[in-house]
Amino acid sequence: MQKMKVLFAMFLPLLVSVSSQAVVQKPNTGNFLRCLRDQSNPKNPITKAIFTPQNSTFTSSYVSYTKNKRYSNPNDTNLIAIVEAKHESHVQTTVVCAKSNAIQIRIRSGGHDYEGQGATDVLHKWQLVSSKLPRELFLRAMPQITKGANKTIAVNFIAQFLGSSKKLMGIINKNLPELGLKGEDCYEMSWLNTTTFWADYPVGTSTSVLLKRPSTPPGAFFKSKSDYVKKPIPKEGMEKMWKTMLKFNNHVFMQWNPYGGVMDKIAANATAFPHRKGNLFKIQYFALWIDANATKANLALMKELYGVAETYVSSNPREAFLNYRDIDVGSNPSGVTNVAEACIKAHVINI
Ligand SMILES: *[C@@H]1O[C@H](CO)[C@@H](O)[C@H](O)[C@H]1NC(C)=O
Ligand SMILES: *[C@@H]1O[C@H](CO)[C@@H](O)[C@H](O)[C@H]1NC(C)=O
Ligand SMILES: *[C@@H]1O[C@H](CO)[C@@H](O)[C@H](O)[C@H]1NC(C)=O
Ligand SMILES: *[C@@H]1O[C@H](CO)[C@@H](O)[C@H](O)[C@H]1NC(C)=O
Ligand SMILES: *[C@@H]1O[C@H](CO)[C@@H](O)[C@H](O)[C@H]1NC(C)=O
Ligand SMILES: *[C@@H]1O[C@H](CO)[C@@H](O)[C@H](O)[C@H]1NC(C)=O
């Protein structure tokens, strides 16, 4: 259990990658690049923002924002250019030129990343209290497989609290004493320093690491999916999920992120982000593997886990979190951009 002084929010500069797709109209790459240059406002020239395979820095630009080894080689994609938008006009120009040349746009963004019965009991109680804790406290639960003689599910709890550890101890002891939180489980630090903690660096790591982009291709493959939970998942439901997780032969975990707080005071239709009032928490499912041969098995198991969870999560539509990119939902299998088709699949996006 960690304790810190302020909440984190991490968004990286807007990147737009542009890829051709087997669409009805054949994309015209040359016209597209000419259009970008012609449409660009001379005050904020776009040239320096465009990377094509002819630029020596194309691959490094690509891998620096590609965390997933499944997509680490730009040759395996239909990528024709990357626009590292430096000004909002670059985004507008890219959209206009892509549309007129039958080219699809993918928006890239950065940012985002334990035993048995006893832990399940605590987790079940966590579902009841986590969204009703004081607004200053964010308490995430992470069910995951533990390595050892026998595979088991353990639950890790991580929190950020805006206040002193003494005050936090009081809140936890009142609402979730089963956690057995102790003073030495907590770290006090500035809000800024919490950013490196959430990025999985050891406590005390300087925030300057956040400026570094990876210079080598990613070393692991992963698949992530998400769900929203509006009613507590019953114990038998959790057990079914653990049994499915135990079928994986590599790292797999879930992040249960409580909503509640201010989120619960805003109606779903009040802003562009609809996952507000009425959500207890969001689940992120995450599987990570190193062996390229394991990709098929992992994707199949993720599908199975998502299927097992269906009974217990939001429905009609089944909601998902846009920033955890999941090509299985909101996609256009026909290859033609069609919002209606994509929305049928699951995403609820207010535009
Ligand atoms: C990529 O190459 C083109 C053509 O030489 C150049 O105009 C452009 O500035 C280069 N892009 C970057 C990001 O350096
Ligand atoms: C992509 O293909 C080009 C041309 O075939 C090749 O020169 C380049 O090395 C390939 N890039 C990677 C990362 O495999
Ligand atoms: C692992 O499981 C076996 C069979 O159920 C059991 O006999 C053994 O004690 C377990 N080992 C540990 C370390 O829990
Ligand atoms: C923040 O982290 C740096 C180390 O990167 C440390 O020197 C500094 O004391 C920390 N500040 C606070 C207020 O936690
Ligand atoms: C939002 O939904 C509520 C009912 O759920 C409705 O009364 C309200 O008019 C809606 N607001 C907008 C802006 O659509
Ligand atoms: C992956 O599969 C290929 C072809 O079946 C095999 O040659 C290779 O050794 C396998 N790699 C690993 C790490 O198991």
Side-chain angles (χ1 to χ4, degrees):
M1 168 77 54
Q2 323 293 349
K3 175 263 158 208
M4 288 133 250
K5 278 188 179 157
V6 184
L7 207 83
F8 81 109
M10 221 165 92
F11 274 98
L12 289 171
L14 178 66
L15 272 103
V16 182
S17 63
V18 186
S19 52
S20 67
Q21 297 275 330
V23 286
V24 186
Q25 224 181 322
K26 199 173 177 333
N28 188 325
T29 311
N31 275 356
F32 169 68
L33 295 172
R34 262 189 300 280
C35 173
L36 286 182
R37 286 183 212 114
D38 295 349
Q39 297 265 331
S40 149
N41 178 338
K43 262 210 228 145
N44 297 295
I46 198 171
T47 333
K48 283 269 172 290
I50 305 172
F51 296 76
T52 69
Q54 277 72 47
N55 294 92
S56 56
T57 44
F58 178 71
T59 304
S60 57
S61 165
Y62 181 76
V63 300
S64 72
Y65 279 84
T66 306
K67 295 186 185 161
N68 195 342
K69 198 173 175 184
R70 285 169 59 214
Y71 306 110
S72 63
N73 187 341
N75 290 355
D76 298 341
T77 68
N78 292 316
L79 186 67
I80 57 175
I82 296 170
V83 180
E84 282 196 13
K86 299 182 191 330
H87 185 262
E88 61 190 46
S89 68
H90 298 167
V91 180
Q92 290 156 353
T93 305
T94 306
V95 171
V96 168
C97 294
K99 184 135 203 286
S100 59
N101 288 286
I103 282 167
Q104 291 207 349
I105 299 177
R106 294 283 174 269
I107 300 187
R108 302 197 295 182
S109 62
H112 313 229
D113 271 275
Y114 298 109
E115 178 138 352
Q117 275 320 106
T120 307
D121 287 340
V122 179
L123 192 60
H124 192 262
K125 183 157 176 207
W126 174 94
Q127 294 192 79
L128 308 178
V129 304
S130 62
S131 62
K132 294 172 186 62
L133 292 168
R135 279 162 40 170
E136 296 78 12
L137 176 58
F138 172 79
L139 175 56
R140 171 190 286 171
M142 287 183 68
Q144 56 187 280
I145 291 182
T146 47
K147 294 186 190 118
N150 299 330
K151 273 199 287 188
T152 54
I153 299 292
V155 184
N156 198 27
F157 292 89
I158 307 177
Q160 176 151 331
F161 177 62
L162 311 183
S164 67
S165 39
K166 191 163 174 262
K167 197 161 174 215
L168 173 65
M169 298 278 286
I171 293 169
I172 295 292
N173 288 338
K174 181 166 165 240
N175 294 281
L176 206 55
E178 296 85 349
L179 280 182
L181 179 69
K182 297 192 210 70
E184 59 261 38
D185 298 324
C186 306
Y187 299 97
E188 290 192 357
M189 62 180 79
S190 65
W191 174 85
L192 184 62
N193 281 2
T194 68
T195 56
T196 55
F197 171 82
W198 285 108
D200 277 343
Y201 290 101
V203 169
T205 303
S206 160
T207 48
S208 64
V209 299
L210 299 174
L211 298 173
K212 288 195 191 130
R213 299 302 314 173
S215 55
T216 51
F221 303 89
F222 71 80
K223 173 68 189 174
S224 167
K225 297 182 80 63
S226 61
D227 262 320
Y228 279 88
V229 179
K230 295 173 194 281
K231 281 183 300 204
I233 302 173
K235 284 184 183 167
E236 65 268 22
M238 291 197 286
E239 253 145 52
K240 281 184 189 155
M241 288 161 96
W242 309 154
K243 277 199 181 117
T244 314
M245 282 172 83
L246 289 167
K247 292 184 182 178
F248 285 81
N249 284 317
N250 40 265
H251 198 45
V252 58
F253 63 83
M254 289 193 229
Q255 286 181 343
W256 290 14
N257 295 299
Y259 272 49
V262 172
M263 298 294 263
D264 211 41
K265 305 223 180 309
I266 303 170
N269 62 3
T271 71
F273 184 81
H275 314 292
R276 303 276 186 183
K277 202 170 166 52
N279 287 294
L280 295 179
F281 58 98
K282 172 179 68 187
I283 298 181
Q284 178 175 206
Y285 310 88
F286 202 99
L288 189 81
W289 63 99
I290 307 291
D291 178 5
N293 293 355
T295 297
K296 219 176 136 186
N298 272 281
L299 296 184
L301 282 169
M302 279 299 262
K303 205 170 227 178
E304 186 178 334
L305 182 56
Y306 192 66
V308 167
E310 185 175 8
T311 317
Y312 311 108
V313 299
S314 65
S315 57
N316 295 317
R318 185 170 183 180
E319 297 175 29
F321 183 53
L322 181 67
N323 284 14
Y324 297 159
R325 297 299 150 76
D326 178 4
I327 204 157
D328 308 340
V329 285
S331 66
N332 286 122
S334 64
V336 178
T337 300
N338 178 337
V339 173
E341 179 190 19
C343 288
I344 286 166
K345 280 304 208 37
H347 270 95
V348 184
I349 307 165
N350 294 332
I351 297 167

